[in-house]
């Protein structure tokens, strides 16, 4: 073979603009057909790897030519036999190559093969003008590296580095020999600078049958978004009938976009949805508006409004708003929305502005809720709050202060309203070492209420309220513990075990607070970490008196990578004096000397078995009052079975009469691939107390190299706003079926079956997933 180095330098061909034209395609002669390969490897066996070009200037890089023979006449060079031209990563092979140094034009003929590490082209002929980086390839096939798409064209015209045209061309992501689907067009125009492809007189084919004709359509070929029609979806449900959704996307600017959706429901009418998103300097947010004119089932107009906005200037000034409002209680139940779920029953409507410094921050907030199926809470109009953090240089003591002025209003004139003034200074002495810790806190809570009591009272306990109330309470706590650690073995594996016993003493004197309204206070749920809280209620309208000791111990097993493999914690509160603070709605007066015994445990065995469990035991009656457990066996990231159980004992009043509201639920979720093409998902939840199902979901999916199809069935209990525990009157089921077709590398249709595992009343969550 004769080696020649051309006297010219510069790019001999620049079709690297094809990189984003479509998902890649290789040549049938390069196909690796190994039936036993996994689907991903089998589908991409024919696809070359991406090779990134070094950062060099092609105008200063020599072009090297190898051939069996060479000849020249004047300024024309002719290379014949196994011609190979290289420049950096670019490589062109052909039977013959002719180059004129005066015109800088080259022509390659016969068995053309070109690659630049990102795209490969075969063809019968390539004509290139090296002076302006243009080229034309005839009877070509193209394949992009690292992607599963390919195509061919009668003529491929490179206009410059970023633009080219394909005439009488095709595109598909199916492997060679697979004609499941293909797009054929009279012309493709590719603009890599704008990352946009345009097809003219295009036909969509399935096998060898034309299905759709598009006179003109364009689509994005990179990360940039493109305005236009998105893929529609079709579903059918017992509530809405056959539903067709057609989304339209508007790429307003690189930092702004909008989506408009026309949703036609056979049993309800036409539902219009709009979403606007923006990302501005120091600001970002989203606005949603939805409207259904005269619902056929309810004869009412139905709507949704949502605005979520965040401002952050210099890390000091912040402004946030989150506002959601719907026309009626059953909006999410009947129509669904990306803004909320069908289990939502409180929609936040708030706006706040804050200023943050190193040792203090201040905030102004207004807050309201739309409660679905319930009575409205008090409106915060507004709240002004201040937090200060002041470490001292004397014996590790820290000083904190919290101050708040909040005006509470209400939409019902028969409900009390008021203004709350609160001041809470605090001294802290945190002492830490590797072996132990001891935290001491002393605080003083001073609160004043100015209340307006209505003449017509909705509740009898309103009569105990006073117009002016001042409450002062000191609070003292000491919380200490030890950190033990040792090396140990279990089942032949080495672990580091930690053991942390801890004790907390809390003292808060009793104050009669029945003359104070409830504005933002409610009971807090008890768990192991909640045992060590200073308060039993959220908010500050009720500060529970306490003279108690909390004892707890926790242990963990960490592997060599310091990953938790096992945790266990157990604790209980011991009352030196019974707390006399309660809420008007409390039906039980606790006269025990101890709280419930709380325990929880987690384990992660070899990243295959995952478990979480938590229980509360009433030690006086020796009965379980609350419990939850989740066990998951995972074979791979997409192959798992999970079992769930949740129990809450029905509370009793002081006359041992049970109050409705028991929870006794069993559930399971599973994702199971039968092979690399067929897979299934399932979810089932059952009410063992009432012997009824809450949710049944099942789906199956078939996936090939270039297409996938799935079918998902969903039957669930609709959210009800009736009496708690009255399941006979509240039990209403809704059923739906969704069909999805996905053409890989082109478009999807509907929602994926795999994502359905997290849909519904009970979303998927892996227990103790700390990796």
């Amino acid at each position: 073979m004769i080696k020649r180095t051309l006297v010219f330098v510069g790019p001999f061909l620049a079709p690297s603009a094809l990189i984003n034209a479509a998902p890649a395609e290789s040549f049938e002669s390069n196909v690796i057909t190994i039936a036993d390969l996994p689907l991903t490897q089998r589908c991409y066996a024919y696809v070359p790897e991406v090779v990134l070009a070094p950062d060099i200037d092609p105008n200063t890089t020599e072009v090297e030519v190898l051939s069996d023979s060479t000849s020249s006449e004047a300024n024309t060079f002719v290379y014949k036999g196994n011609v190979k031209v290289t420049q950096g990563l670019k490589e062109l092979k052909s039977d013959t190559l002719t180059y004129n140094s005066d015109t800088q034009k080259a022509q390659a003929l016969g068995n053309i093969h070109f690659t630049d590490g990102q795209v490969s082209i075969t063809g019968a002929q390539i004509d290139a003008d090296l002076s302006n980086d243009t080229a034309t390839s005839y009877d070509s096939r193209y394949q992009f590296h690292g992607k599963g798409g390919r195509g061919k064209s009668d003529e491929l015209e490179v206009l410059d580095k970023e633009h080219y045209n394909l005439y009488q061309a095709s595109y598909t992501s199916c492997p060679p020999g697979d004609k499941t689907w293909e797009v054929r067009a009279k012309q493709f125009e590719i603009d890599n600078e704008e990352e946009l492809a345009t097809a003219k007189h295009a036909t969509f084919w399935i096998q060898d049958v034309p299905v759709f004709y598009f006179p003109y359509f364009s689509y994005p070929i990179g990360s940039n978004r493109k305005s236009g029609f998105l893929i529609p979806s079709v579903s059918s449900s017992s509530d809405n009938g056959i539903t067709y959704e057609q989304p339209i996307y508007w790429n307003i600017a690189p930092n702004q976009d909008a989506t408009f959706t026309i949703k036609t429901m056979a049993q309800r009418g036409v539902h219009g949805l709009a979403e606007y998103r923006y990302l501005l300097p120091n600001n970002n947010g989203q606005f949603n508006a939805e409207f259904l004119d005269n619902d056929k089932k309810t004869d009412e107009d139905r709507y949704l409004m949502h605005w979520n906005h965040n401002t952050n200037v210099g890390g000091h000034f912040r402004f946030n708003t989150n506002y959601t409002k719907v026309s009626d209680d059953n909006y999410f139940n009947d129509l669904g929305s990306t803004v909320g779920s069908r289990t939502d029953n409180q929609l936040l409507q708030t706006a706040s502005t804050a200023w943050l410094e190193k040792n203090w921050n201040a905030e102004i907030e207004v807050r309201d809720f739309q409660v679905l199926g319930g009575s409205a809470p008090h409106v915060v109009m507004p709240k002004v709050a201040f937090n200060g953090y002041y470490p001292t240089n004397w014996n590790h003591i820290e000083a904190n202060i919290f101050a708040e002025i909040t005006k509470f209003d209400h939409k019902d004139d028969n409900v009390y309203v008021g203004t709350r003034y609160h001041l809470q200074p605090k001294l802290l002495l945190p002492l830490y070492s590797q072996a132990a810790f001891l935290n001491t806190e002393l605080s003083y809570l001073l609160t004043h209420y100015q209340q307006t009591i209505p003449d017509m009272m909705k509740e009898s306990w309103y009569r105990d309220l006073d117009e002016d109330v001042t409450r002062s309470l000191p609070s003292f706590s000491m919380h200490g513990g030890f950190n033990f650690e040792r090396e140990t073995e279990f089942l032949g594996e080495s672990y580091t075990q930690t053991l942390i016993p801890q004790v907390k003493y809390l003292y808060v004197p009793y104050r009669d607070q029945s003359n104070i309204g409830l504005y933002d206070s409610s009971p807090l749920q008890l768990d192991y970490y909640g045992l060590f809280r200073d308060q039993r209620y959220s908010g500050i309208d009720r500060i529970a008196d306490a003279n108690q000791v909390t004892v707890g111990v926790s242990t963990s097993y960490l592997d060599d990578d310091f990953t938790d493999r096992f945790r266990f914690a157990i604790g209980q509160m011991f009352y030196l004096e019974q707390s006399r603070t309660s809420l008007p709605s409390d039906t039980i007066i606790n006269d025990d000397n101890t709280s419930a015994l709380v325990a929880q445990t987690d384990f992660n065995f070899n990243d295959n078995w995952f478990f979480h469990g938590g229980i509360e035991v009433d030690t006086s009656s020796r009965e379980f009052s609350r419990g939850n457990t989740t066990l998951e066996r995972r074979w791979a990231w997409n192959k798992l079975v999970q079992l769930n159980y949740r129990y809450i004992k029905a509370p009793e009043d002081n006359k041992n009469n049970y109050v409705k509201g028991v929870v006794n639920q069993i559930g399971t979720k599973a994702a199971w691939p039968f092979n690399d093409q067929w897979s299934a998902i399932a979810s089932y939840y059952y009410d063992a107390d009432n012997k009824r199902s809450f949710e049944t979901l099942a789906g199956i999916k078939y996936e090939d190299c270039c297409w996938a199809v799935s079918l998902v069935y969903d039957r669930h209990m609709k959210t009800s706003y009736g009496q708690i525990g009255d399941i006979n009157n509240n039990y209403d089921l809704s059923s739906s079926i969704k069909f999805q077709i996905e053409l890989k590398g082109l478009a999807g249709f509907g929602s994926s079956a795999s994502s359905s595992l997290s849909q519904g009343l009970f979303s998927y969550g892996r227990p103790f997933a700390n990796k």
Side-chain angles (χ1 to χ4, degrees), residues 418-695:
T419 301
R420 182 176 69 197
Y421 306 85
H422 182 71
L423 180 67
Q424 184 176 349
K426 181 186 294 186
L427 292 176
L428 302 91
L429 180 59
L431 301 176
Y432 290 93
S433 72
Q434 291 185 341
F437 64 91
L438 178 63
N439 297 322
T440 304
E441 295 186 9
L442 177 63
S443 62
Y444 187 77
L445 297 86
L446 179 62
T447 315
H448 178 72
Y449 290 83
Q450 293 178 343
Q451 303 181 123
T452 300
I453 316 302
D455 294 331
M456 299 294 294
M457 300 183 182
K458 296 185 66 173
E459 303 286 347
S460 60
W461 66 271
Y462 289 9
R463 302 183 187 278
D464 297 330
L465 301 181
D466 293 332
E467 292 184 353
D468 287 278
V469 181
T470 300
R471 179 194 63 194
S472 60
L473 278 169
S475 175
F476 174 78
S477 68
M478 292 186 68
H479 183 191
F482 295 96
N483 299 313
F484 296 109
E485 184 178 299
R486 68 165 184 166
E487 301 300 321
T488 186
E489 289 189 0
F490 182 72
L491 297 180
E493 299 290 337
S494 297
Y495 295 96
T496 299
Q497 182 189 7
T498 64
L499 184 69
I500 305 176
Q502 51 186 316
V503 178
K504 179 174 181 176
Y505 173 72
L506 174 65
Y507 177 77
V508 181
Y510 172 74
R511 298 289 188 271
D512 183 7
Q513 301 166 66
S514 60
N515 54 354
I516 299 174
L518 292 176
Y519 298 97
D520 59 1
S521 290
S522 60
L524 294 171
Q525 186 172 334
L526 190 64
D527 58 15
Y528 176 75
Y529 299 101
L531 291 172
F532 298 92
R533 283 193 296 253
D534 288 348
Q535 293 182 219
R536 204 166 76 226
Y537 303 104
S538 63
I540 54 177
D541 300 322
R542 293 293 185 272
I543 306 297
D545 57 301
N547 187 9
Q548 63 192 40
V549 176
T550 303
V551 178
V553 62
S554 61
T555 185
S556 295
Y557 281 75
L558 295 84
D559 62 16
D560 293 338
D561 295 328
F562 294 99
T563 299
D564 271 336
R565 292 298 177 179
F566 175 80
R567 295 178 191 163
F568 177 77
I570 187 170
Q572 191 173 21
M573 290 187 290
F574 297 87
Y575 305 126
L576 305 180
E577 293 183 42
Q578 286 293 333
S579 176
R580 293 184 283 166
T581 306
S582 63
L583 301 180
S585 59
D586 288 347
T587 58
I588 304 172
I589 303 299
N590 184 12
D591 55 2
D592 295 334
N593 294 322
T594 61
S595 71
L597 180 69
V598 178
Q600 61 188 60
T601 185
D602 301 87
F603 73 72
N604 171 354
F605 180 72
N606 202 28
D607 291 327
N608 292 326
W609 290 92
F610 301 88
F611 176 81
H612 169 78
I615 59 170
E616 289 182 30
V617 180
D618 187 338
T619 53
S620 62
S621 63
R622 297 183 180 180
E623 293 182 351
F624 288 98
S625 55
R626 186 186 297 263
N628 66 87
T629 183
T630 302
L631 175 64
E632 178 177 309
R633 174 65 167 97
R634 180 175 285 266
W635 290 265
W637 68 270
N638 62 342
K639 188 175 185 180
L640 65 96
V641 174
Q642 184 181 98
L643 300 175
N644 300 276
Y645 179 70
R646 188 161 67 109
Y647 175 80
I648 301 176
K649 178 185 175 183
E652 304 174 21
D653 59 22
N654 291 328
K655 298 180 181 179
N656 296 324
N657 296 318
Y658 281 93
V659 180
K660 291 183 178 180
V662 63
V663 175
N664 191 8
Q665 299 171 356
I666 303 171
T668 182
K669 285 183 176 292
W672 198 269
F674 301 105
N675 51 44
D676 56 5
Q677 290 182 290
W678 286 95
S679 61
I681 57 100
S683 178
Y684 182 76
Y685 282 82
Y686 182 75
D687 183 349
D689 196 61
N690 293 283
K691 296 181 174 55
R692 304 191 189 205
S693 65
F694 282 122
E695 179 178 76

Side-chain angles (χ1 to χ4, degrees), residues 279-345:
L279 180 61
L280 307 173
N282 304 318
N283 297 273
N284 65 83
Q286 175 179 316
F287 178 80
N288 293 76
E290 303 177 3
F291 183 74
L292 173 60
D293 182 33
N294 191 24
D295 188 333
K296 294 179 183 179
K297 282 193 169 184
T298 64
D299 291 328
E300 295 178 351
D301 294 340
R302 309 182 73 177
Y303 64 85
L304 173 146
M305 293 185 294
H306 170 75
W307 184 36
N308 184 20
H309 174 86
N310 300 282
T311 296
N312 189 336
V313 181
H316 293 284
F317 175 78
R318 294 181 183 177
F319 172 77
N320 306 94
T321 184
N322 192 345
Y323 180 91
T324 305
K325 181 177 177 61
V326 294
S327 56
D328 56 90
D329 292 344
N330 289 296
Y331 186 91
F332 295 124
N333 233 357
D334 297 339
L335 304 177
S337 176
T338 58
V339 173
S341 69
R342 60 196 182 207
T343 57
D344 288 343
N345 67 342

Side-chain angles (χ1 to χ4, degrees), residues 681 696-700 711-715 734-738:
I681 57 100
T696 302
L697 186 146
I700 190 167
L711 188 68
V712 178
Y713 171 76
D714 179 16
R715 185 172 182 261
S734 175
S735 301
S736 66
I737 188 167
K738 295 180 180 180

